[in-house]
Amino acid sequence: MSDQKRLKISDVDGVTVVEFKDRKILDDIQIQEIGQEFSDLVEVDGKRTILLNFSNVEFLSSSALGKLISLDKHVKQKDGTLKMSNIRPEIMEVFAITRLNKLFDIKEDVPDALAAFRG
């Protein structure tokens, strides 16, 4: 698996669970590194079933939203599935305002998301 500076990666029953190491995702360099790690996850590591766990994330900049959209497109192009969980209400509000809550498959918590992968 490629080296991860910004993301913590684990495998749970065939689902790649991604946790963010940073509580605040605001800095441009940080966001670029996250974007590269997302890309490596799909291209280098060949991951197709991905769950982004936002439990550690308190703040998320609008630039970071672009990386999430790119990851979603990238995973779908590879016939994969991306889900998200544990999104704080204040971040969820941003998703709702930008209508990203309609684009992304968002679950309440990790167990709900893992169950949704199993169908």
Side-chain angles (χ1 to χ4, degrees):
M1 193 170 289
S2 58
D3 187 38
Q4 304 292 332
K5 181 178 177 182
R6 300 285 180 187
L7 306 174
K8 180 183 171 199
I9 312 296
S10 59
D11 186 275
V12 180
D13 297 328
V15 175
T16 303
V17 179
V18 179
E19 292 179 70
F20 296 87
K21 292 181 181 177
D22 301 299
R23 296 186 90 56
K24 298 177 181 180
I25 303 174
L26 303 169
D27 178 77
D28 282 341
I29 292 170
Q30 176 188 33
I31 292 165
Q32 290 302 320
E33 289 172 345
I34 289 170
Q36 185 59 55
E37 290 181 29
F38 282 165
S39 180
D40 289 350
L41 203 58
V42 177
E43 289 301 322
V44 177
D45 300 333
K47 303 300 181 185
R48 301 289 181 266
T49 308
I50 301 171
L51 168 59
L52 298 182
N53 177 352
F54 283 81
S55 60
N56 290 335
V57 180
E58 295 174 356
F59 297 101
L60 191 68
S61 77
S62 58
S63 298
L65 296 178
K67 295 300 178 189
L68 296 175
I69 294 166
S70 294
L71 175 63
D72 185 64
K73 286 181 184 175
H74 205 162
V75 170
K76 286 176 180 169
Q77 286 171 348
K78 300 287 184 179
D79 294 322
T81 306
L82 175 70
K83 296 186 187 309
M84 300 179 187
S85 72
N86 299 79
I87 298 175
R88 294 176 191 265
E90 49 276 9
I91 295 174
M92 193 63 188
E93 187 176 324
V94 173
F95 280 24
I97 290 168
T98 58
R99 297 206 179 285
L100 290 176
N101 60 326
K102 305 292 185 200
L103 173 67
F104 299 138
D105 187 353
I106 301 171
K107 303 299 180 194
E108 186 72 25
D109 55 28
V110 171
D112 284 349
L114 292 173
F117 277 114
R118 291 190 285 274

